[in-house]
Amino acid sequence: MSKTFDVIVIGGGHAGAEAAWIAARMGATTAMVTFDQEAIGRMSCNPAIGGIGKGQMVREIDALGGIMAFATDRAGIQFRMLNRSKGPAVWAPRAQADRDAYPRAVQAILQQARNLEIVEGSVEEILVHSGEEKLRIRGVKLSDGRECLAESVIITTGTFLRALMHCGTDQSEGGRIGEKSATGLSANLRALGFKLGRLKTGTPPRIHRDSIDYSVCEVQPGDNPPVPFSFLNDAIRQSQINCWVTWTQPSVHEHIRANLHRAPMYSGQIQSRGPRYCPSIEDKVVRFSDKDRHQIFLEPEGYDNERVYCNGISTSLPKEVQDAFIREIPGLERAKILQHGYAVEYDYVPTDQTTASLETKRVRGLFLAGQINGTSGYEEAAGQGIMAGINAVQYVRNEEPVILGRDEAYIGVMIDDLITRPPTEPYRMFTSRAEYRLLLRSDNADQRLTPIGRKVGAVEDVRWSAFQRKMDTRRDISAVAARGSIDGLAFSNWMRRPEAETERFGIRLLELSGRTFPEDDLRGVLLDAKYQGYVDRQALQVERFRRMESMLIPTTVDYSSIPELRAEAREQLAKVEPRTLGQAARISGLTPADLTVLWVCLSGRRVVQRRVEPVS
């Protein structure tokens, strides 16, 4: 028996949830295939959303019509705006979520999708049409023999692809405690001609909340009032809880050093690379041997959840070693460990095999999103998920894919990084990766992306109407400010001053117009004015950047026929297959001289097309 859909999404994690939701929202008949529908949206590691660089992406997902921000606002138990001491361009929202409430919120939202069907099962085979010029997707086959057919398939398997968990010398199959591994799909991808790599991630111990001595820990409260993630929400109404901070100490480090030979990463048991920017406590002790302490955030996993997540001591050391060093940490001397830390190794598909639309080069209609592309984190996965979902539908419609530029979104920065510099370790987003971050504030994500989402049908009427009202209000504020003054200065000059603040701005506008404006809109107009000079300068850089991006490179270029290019450049260009000269400029290993040669060839159209051989 088989059923037919427009789009099939494999996996129900953060990438899969966004992909399935947005595809269904755009009108495509969609199936999500997952081991267990009650596990959809489950948080494998820390139940937290957002952070520096990541929070901006969550706002972008929301602006495009996604669900992560809305689910976080429902399930959040502590909200904080990070980087408040710096400029608003790098302010980043973050929320600790209730581990049980968050997946319930995601599942409840998905249930509202009219065109979405949840299919429980394990995909063992990607079905393709063969005998054509290029492999083309036909659907999927489940382990029980069922077939689901579709014009487009999105793989979002997270850490479950041939996953193996490590805790000391103990090993077991699975991408998450208590859940199995997706084993057959890796072999099938190889059979289709894909190269696979191997990466590693890890998670720290969870301890019982009543076994912590909070008197020796530093309290970390949330913001008051908390700021919502979603542009559709004006307030967070549930109560917030505190998190806590403690530190490791020299005796902890000594204990870890004495047992490094028992750590899978150091014994040779694990060969794959882990995330550089979220290292295990073993790595911290080795790499930062000059430091005598490392910070640990004690983060509750829910209102009624007895588990506390020990953020900062990810580890795969044996259980008895974890027991010993944790009880050397101030405040944790009597810690009751409910779940020990462990590492997970899993397969991924290096991204030189993927295009900027997240469609694979090998199989038409097959898209990849999330940790299968070598990223780390819920937010990075969700950002890829929503773009893969949009582009899968665009593919089914035979329309152009949506490619976000580096000047348009952090999501665009991430995908461009993945395509031009395929990761060899789990990729994590930071504000420092975005050269145009002054344009990419968390508060203006809807201004940047909601019109794009609306154009392709991803943004519903409610969101679009709210966005139009917001923009109308901001135009009204600007119109009043354009004809008024404050403290003897024209508004255009006063608004750029450091002391210009929202309350005074609103009072003066009320005096001039008799109208009270929302605080968020007043703040947004003020921020736009304060940054205008910087934005104008960055706009010139963007214009130069776009000129390079506008020079398209034919997909059939034979780089081996350009003898002026260095051998390494020819190899890298053929491997990545950049869409534009700008994308080529970001490929590792290419020099300015290589780009000049390529530009001359493209300008003079002195390029030779390679012959495309039919795939048998």
Side-chain angles (χ1 to χ4, degrees):
M1 297 292 293
S2 63
K3 295 188 69 173
T4 302
F5 302 88
D6 293 323
V7 177
I8 294 172
V9 178
I10 303 173
H14 304 282
E18 298 292 347
W21 166 258
I22 212 67
R25 168 57 61 87
M26 292 172 68
T29 56
T30 306
M32 174 193 281
V33 183
T34 180
F35 288 145
D36 178 4
Q37 60 181 325
E38 292 186 2
I40 293 171
R42 189 170 287 171
M43 305 174 107
S44 301
C45 201
N46 188 8
I49 297 293
I52 297 172
K54 294 168 174 278
Q56 285 90 332
M57 281 202 296
V58 178
R59 287 273 176 85
E60 292 173 352
I61 293 163
D62 184 66
L64 287 166
I67 63 177
M68 177 170 271
F70 209 76
T72 303
D73 287 349
R74 287 189 184 181
I77 57 179
Q78 189 201 70
F79 292 77
R80 295 175 64 220
M81 186 67 73
L82 307 183
N83 271 349
R84 284 279 196 187
S85 61
K86 300 181 180 179
V90 292
W91 288 0
R94 183 187 188 274
Q96 190 73 13
D98 186 300
R99 175 177 294 278
D100 299 320
Y102 184 86
R104 285 201 303 267
V106 171
Q107 293 163 30
I109 294 169
L110 291 177
Q111 286 171 5
Q112 301 170 20
R114 290 190 298 272
N115 302 307
L116 176 62
E117 180 176 334
I118 308 297
V119 178
E120 287 191 332
S122 174
V123 173
E124 293 295 308
E125 184 179 352
I126 302 296
L127 304 176
V128 297
H129 296 279
S130 59
E132 301 181 4
E133 183 177 285
K134 187 175 182 180
L135 294 176
R136 180 166 57 90
I137 205 73
R138 188 167 71 86
V140 301
K141 184 175 182 179
L142 277 59
S143 58
D144 60 7
R146 286 178 293 167
E147 289 187 356
C148 295
L149 306 181
E151 293 184 59
S152 182
V153 170
I154 307 170
I155 303 179
T156 68
T157 45
T159 62
F160 285 80
L161 206 58
R162 206 165 60 88
L164 184 65
M165 295 183 290
H166 301 261
C167 184
T169 57
D170 295 337
Q171 300 179 50
S172 58
E173 287 190 358
R176 185 164 53 208
I177 286 288
E179 298 182 40
K180 59 184 178 180
S181 171
T183 54
L185 196 52
S186 284
N188 179 235
L189 288 172
R190 284 197 178 90
L192 289 172
F194 289 97
K195 303 189 302 280
L196 301 187
R198 198 86 170 141
L199 292 176
K200 169 258 180 189
T201 189
T203 190
R206 278 72 156 176
I207 59 177
H208 198 291
R209 62 186 180 186
D210 294 338
S211 65
I212 299 171
D213 180 2
Y214 296 99
S215 67
V216 299
C217 300
E218 174 189 341
V219 66
Q220 186 183 63
D223 291 343
N224 186 22
V227 178
F229 264 95
S230 177
F231 290 102
L232 291 182
N233 292 329
D234 58 2
I236 299 297
R237 292 174 175 83
Q238 65 265 31
S239 60
Q240 293 197 82
I241 64 174
N242 290 328
C243 294
W244 305 83
V245 178
T246 184
W247 300 79
T248 63
Q249 57 183 356
S251 61
V252 175
H253 300 181
E254 290 169 10
H255 203 89
I256 291 170
R257 288 191 190 98
N259 288 277
L260 276 177
H261 62 287
R262 304 178 68 190
M265 285 290 290
Y266 289 87
S267 68
Q269 182 174 308
I270 293 178
Q271 298 290 330
S272 50
R273 297 185 66 173
R276 183 193 316 179
Y277 301 106
C278 187
S280 66
I281 188 61
E282 298 98 283
D283 275 346
K284 289 180 183 179
V285 168
V286 172
R287 288 166 51 191
F288 309 107
S289 57
D290 57 318
K291 295 186 179 295
D292 60 6
R293 66 176 193 164
H294 294 285
Q295 197 170 40
I296 303 170
F297 296 92
L298 302 176
E299 299 173 327
E301 294 197 349
Y303 289 118
D304 301 317
N305 196 315
E306 61 187 10
R307 303 189 345 161
V308 172
Y309 182 94
C310 299
N311 190 350
I313 52 171
S314 175
T315 182
S316 57
L317 282 162
K319 293 178 181 179
E320 63 272 18
V321 178
Q322 295 185 41
D323 291 341
F325 82 70
I326 284 172
R327 295 188 179 108
E328 293 284 333
I329 297 170
L332 306 185
E333 292 87 352
R334 294 183 176 85
K336 179 182 178 183
I337 300 176
L338 300 177
Q339 178 184 304
H340 289 86
Y342 61 94
V344 183
E345 280 189 293
Y346 56 95
D347 286 346
Y348 81 109
V349 178
T351 46
D352 58 322
Q353 302 166 92
T354 308
T355 70
S357 69
L358 298 180
E359 184 184 13
T360 64
K361 298 173 183 177
R362 180 71 181 164
V363 180
R364 291 177 56 207
L366 179 62
F367 294 77
L368 308 179
Q371 286 175 284
I372 192 171
N373 283 333
T375 58
S376 171
Y378 308 143
E379 303 83 0
E380 289 88 347
Q384 293 169 71
I386 195 167
M387 296 311 300
I390 289 172
N391 285 327
V393 177
Q394 292 292 91
Y395 173 85
V396 170
R397 293 173 175 172
N398 199 29
E399 296 181 3
E400 286 295 310
V402 177
I403 310 294
L404 298 178
R406 297 181 71 90
D407 59 315
E408 291 180 302
Y410 276 93
I411 295 173
V413 172
M414 170 181 63
I415 294 176
D416 188 71
D417 282 350
L418 292 175
I419 300 308
T420 58
R421 303 180 181 92
T424 56
E425 61 186 39
Y427 176 98
R428 180 177 180 176
M429 176 51 69
F430 295 103
T431 53
S432 59
R433 294 189 188 273
E435 58 270 51
Y436 307 116
R437 56 186 170 275
L438 291 180
L439 305 177
L440 308 181
R441 302 198 311 263
S442 62
D443 66 286
N444 69 7
D446 57 342
Q447 294 168 248
R448 294 183 274 117
L449 299 178
T450 295
I452 295 174
R454 180 66 174 183
K455 184 177 179 180
V456 297
V459 169
E460 77 284 11
D461 291 343
V462 172
R463 183 181 295 276
W464 184 243
S465 296
F467 174 71
Q468 289 182 308
R469 287 193 300 272
K470 170 181 173 177
M471 299 312 297
D472 288 343
T473 299
R474 295 197 176 192
R475 281 190 287 269
D476 291 345
I477 292 172
S478 297
V480 175
R483 63 176 185 265
S485 61
I486 183 170
D487 298 335
L489 290 171
F491 264 122
S492 58
N493 292 326
W494 178 84
M495 290 163 67
R496 296 177 183 177
R497 292 192 160 199
E499 65 269 20
E501 47 84 32
T502 305
E503 184 178 2
R504 181 75 182 95
F505 188 35
I507 291 171
R508 182 58 178 146
L509 291 178
L510 175 61
E511 293 170 352
L512 290 170
S513 66
R515 181 178 172 185
T516 301
F517 293 100
E519 184 178 349
D520 280 351
D521 294 319
L522 291 168
R523 184 183 300 110
V525 173
L526 263 182
L527 288 176
D528 286 342
K530 286 179 185 292
Y531 274 90
Q532 192 59 52
Y534 300 104
V535 168
D536 288 345
R537 287 199 291 272
Q538 199 151 86
L540 295 175
Q541 298 173 348
V542 169
E543 183 57 34
R544 289 194 293 269
F545 166 76
R546 283 181 173 167
R547 283 199 292 269
M548 292 189 74
E549 292 295 304
S550 67
M551 182 169 281
L552 296 176
I553 300 176
T555 57
T556 53
V557 170
D558 182 6
Y559 294 104
S560 66
S561 70
I562 308 177
E564 294 88 352
L565 285 172
R566 296 176 306 115
E568 181 186 359
R570 291 196 296 268
E571 181 183 345
Q572 287 293 89
L573 287 165
K575 184 178 181 181
V576 175
E577 297 181 358
R579 295 173 57 251
T580 67
L581 187 64
Q583 200 173 72
R586 296 186 291 278
I587 297 175
S588 298
L590 261 67
T591 68
D594 296 324
L595 294 171
T596 300
V597 168
L598 188 57
W599 176 79
V600 169
C601 291
L602 292 171
S603 299
R605 301 191 180 280
R606 207 213 77 192
V607 293
V608 179
Q609 294 189 352
R610 66 176 181 271
R611 189 174 64 180
V612 179
E613 300 289 348
V615 177
S616 59

